Amino acid sequence: AQTVTQSQPEMSVQEAETVTLSCTYDTSESDYYLFWYKQPPSRQMILVIRQEAYKQQNATENRFSVNFQKAAKSFSLKISDSQLGDAAMYFCAYNPSGTYKYIFGTGTRLKVLA
Amino acid sequence: DTGVSQNPRHKITKRGQNVTFRCDPISEHNRLYWYRQTLGQGPEFLTYFQNEAQLEKSRLLSDRFSAERPKGSFSTLEIQRTEQGDSAMYLCASSPRLAGYQETQYFGPGTRLLVL
């Protein structure tokens, strides 16, 4: 079965520091997509960053970057220069290529301390 | 605002009643998804529409659940004979269809259902 595991229910980071959120997934597919979504309290879920499995280069979006280790089936999110507005639930998601089914992890709650 | 909208935002109902939720996707998006999210969990995929065609359904979508997307615009999700276990946030997402590219989903604010 395809699963996504986020082993950190909650993380804290000091403002301006760096934090890494972990995600592992289980699949026998070779072609797929991975995503990190952010869900602020009482607000809509938004895409943070995406990674195509066929790309070896790690995706980067401003202060957000990923460490994609395909062989290890690991997809961690690094947030640099953390800001108070980064406080939210972060979900890792997996999508096998050619399907429309997205599998989400259970989420990591990120707290940013001033 | 041209984002995904969902109505109602909150719904309280008694066990055994039927409820219907509506999702209005971003106007140029022809793909639409429904998810269910319970407390402390990530969204669980329920179903997917491409235009008016329902192309994929999760095993989670029991026979009490039905979704439609007439004319490929807005979508409705109906739950018949609600049970307390149906209490959850129901999320809708839409995305454009881009050839050869896995598009980004845009989520709505969700409808929070409480079954008493």
Side-chain angles (χ1 to χ4, degrees):
Chain A
Q2 296 164 337
T3 58
V4 175
T5 301
Q6 293 181 250
S7 59
Q8 306 153 316
E10 189 170 293
M11 293 282 285
S12 296
V13 62
Q14 290 285 342
E15 199 175 2
E17 297 295 307
T18 295
V19 65
T20 298
L21 308 183
S22 301
C23 173
T24 58
Y25 56 95
D26 186 22
T27 183
S28 57
E29 303 287 338
S30 59
D31 195 12
Y32 50 85
Y33 300 85
L34 296 164
F35 306 82
W36 278 99
Y37 279 89
K38 170 185 177 182
Q39 189 174 40
S42 301
R43 294 183 61 188
Q44 290 163 240
M45 192 173 302
I46 57 173
L47 179 70
V48 174
I49 198 166
R50 56 182 285 151
Q51 174 80 42
E52 289 83 355
Y54 63 84
K55 290 186 177 179
Q56 292 185 334
Q57 186 172 4
N58 289 323
T60 299
E61 289 287 343
N62 300 315
R63 298 183 295 107
F64 299 88
S65 61
V66 299
N67 183 4
F68 173 49
Q69 301 290 327
K70 191 171 184 179
K73 297 179 183 176
S74 171
F75 182 62
S76 60
L77 174 69
K78 185 172 81 171
I79 305 174
S80 304
D81 186 25
S82 297
Q83 301 175 0
L84 295 177
D86 294 334
M89 284 291 289
Y90 286 81
F91 292 98
C92 177
Y94 161 86
N95 166 239
S97 179
T99 79
Y100 307 107
K101 185 173 182 179
Y102 288 69
I103 302 167
F104 286 77
T106 53
T108 296
R109 182 174 301 280
L110 178 66
K111 295 184 177 180
V112 181
L113 308 174
Chain B
D1 187 275
T2 58
V4 178
S5 62
Q6 292 187 246
N7 287 288
R9 295 290 307 276
H10 303 272
K11 179 70 176 179
I12 300 175
T13 190
K14 293 183 179 180
R15 188 178 54 183
Q17 297 295 306
N18 298 344
V19 295
T20 300
F21 310 140
R22 175 175 171 132
C23 170
D24 286 272
I26 294 172
S27 60
E28 63 269 24
H29 288 184
N30 61 351
R31 293 180 167 176
L32 188 145
Y33 307 76
W34 283 100
Y35 293 87
R36 181 174 67 186
Q37 185 178 21
T38 53
L39 203 60
Q41 299 296 318
E44 296 174 291
F45 170 82
L46 291 178
T47 191
Y48 161 75
F49 288 87
Q50 184 165 307
N51 298 312
E52 67 276 8
Q54 187 174 21
L55 297 184
E56 195 157 345
K57 290 171 59 174
S58 166
R59 290 189 299 274
L60 292 173
L61 213 63
S62 76
D63 56 4
R64 296 185 299 107
F65 288 70
S66 63
E68 295 183 340
R69 193 183 181 197
K71 301 179 182 178
S73 56
F74 70 91
S75 176
T76 58
L77 177 68
E78 180 183 18
I79 308 174
Q80 296 181 328
R81 305 182 303 280
T82 53
E83 302 173 356
Q84 288 182 326
D86 296 331
S87 296
M89 176 76 85
Y90 290 84
L91 296 171
C92 176
S94 71
S95 63
R97 181 171 183 267
L98 302 174
Y101 185 77
Q102 193 67 351
E103 73 291 347
T104 294
Q105 295 185 55
Y106 295 83
F107 283 82
T111 294
R112 185 170 295 282
L113 172 67
L114 177 62
V115 181
L116 302 176

